[in-house]
Amino acid sequence: EIVLTQSPGTLSLSPGERATLSCRASQSISSSYLAWYQQKPGQAPRLLIYGASSRATGVPDRFSGGGSGTDFTLTISRLEPEDFAVYYCQQSVTSPLTFGGGTKVEIK
Amino acid sequence: QVQLVQSGSELKKPGASVKVSCKASGYTFTGYAMNWVRQAPGQGVECMGWINTNSGNPTYAQGFTGRFVFSLDTSVSTAYLQISSLKAEDTAVYYCARYLGSVRSLDSWGQGTLVTVSS
């Protein structure tokens, strides 16, 4: 089973700041199989990034993904008020797919 | 547009069963696998498994075998999650989510169904 470890658990930042979230896989995975989701309170997760770096439809370009092998990142270039949420990475190399534990981006 | 609409919240006693539905619209139901995802209160999301909507073949993640059953009614484009012998620790929000193979991720999600297990 591929385990995804996200860090930090919580990121306290101010609007306008840059956020960098990490997702580490327990074994190397193709970037094609790594996705990121955003979840706001009371809502279902929403697909943000697929294939490690491709933005889903309607996702603002302040969101970017990168990385390869075992280390992947989600970057939010300038935090907007609506970006404060929990973010999950997910792999689909193995079935069933698995999620990381999440990173909460909170207002400082 | 793609929509997944789930059934409403449920309050059940320990030992009872529950069946959650997920009705799909806006696309060909049998063309995309359906995943089920659990989120316990204050916790992260975890994939319970998925069902092949063409063959009806389910795949369950570790920890979701035995009491959990995925099923379909393709005539009404609906997927179901049934949980039997409910325990307090089954209290969670359950989501259905469509797997889009071209992006290898879950591109559309239901609104979630809260199942509360309490005596």
Side-chain angles (χ1 to χ4, degrees):
Chain A
E1 176 185 322
I2 296 177
V3 176
L4 300 177
T5 302
Q6 292 188 241
S7 61
T10 302
L11 201 49
S12 298
L13 295 168
S14 301
E17 290 194 292
R18 181 184 188 89
T20 303
L21 288 65
S22 172
C23 176
R24 177 163 289 178
S26 58
Q27 62 190 76
S28 181
I29 63 175
S30 166
S31 59
S32 299
Y33 296 87
L34 196 286
W36 291 91
Y37 299 82
Q38 176 193 65
Q39 186 180 33
K40 297 179 181 179
Q43 297 184 17
R46 166 199 177 197
L47 178 64
L48 281 182
I49 300 284
Y50 63 90
S53 61
S54 297
R55 280 185 296 275
T57 303
V59 175
D61 60 7
R62 63 181 180 272
F63 291 91
S64 62
S68 63
T70 60
D71 292 302
F72 298 89
T73 58
L74 173 69
T75 301
I76 310 170
S77 59
R78 286 180 56 86
L79 283 163
E80 296 288 341
E82 61 267 28
D83 300 335
F84 291 92
V86 179
Y87 294 84
Y88 297 97
C89 58
Q90 168 250 303
Q91 67 79 26
S92 54
V93 175
T94 58
S95 171
L97 47 84
T98 55
F99 292 91
T103 290
K104 181 179 182 179
V105 179
E106 66 175 22
I107 299 176
K108 187 175 181 180
Chain B
Q1 75 283 17
V2 175
Q3 268 199 311
L4 300 176
V5 179
Q6 297 184 225
S7 48
S9 298
E10 301 268 9
L11 174 60
K12 296 290 184 181
K13 294 191 183 303
S17 295
V18 69
K19 193 169 187 177
V20 176
S21 66
C22 169
K23 184 171 176 59
S25 61
Y27 71 98
T28 301
F29 180 69
T30 53
Y32 303 85
M34 190 69 77
N35 281 249
W36 287 94
V37 176
R38 183 174 78 176
Q39 186 167 38
Q43 302 300 308
V45 292
E46 58 180 329
C47 185
M48 303 171 64
W50 60 283
I51 185 165
N52 183 317
T53 54
N54 197 39
S55 67
N57 185 47
T59 299
Y60 300 98
Q62 274 188 338
F64 295 101
T65 55
R67 298 188 298 116
F68 301 84
V69 176
F70 307 147
S71 61
L72 305 169
D73 184 344
T74 56
S75 68
V76 289
S77 301
T78 300
Y80 300 94
L81 163 66
Q82 183 160 2
I83 311 172
S84 59
S85 302
L86 283 163
K87 306 175 184 180
E89 50 264 41
D90 294 323
T91 295
V93 176
Y94 293 85
Y95 295 99
C96 58
R98 186 182 81 158
Y99 181 78
L100 185 58
S102 60
V103 299
R104 299 182 179 93
S105 50
L106 305 176
D107 73 319
S108 296
W109 293 65
Q111 81 276 22
T113 297
L114 173 62
V115 175
T116 303
V117 183
S118 174
S119 54

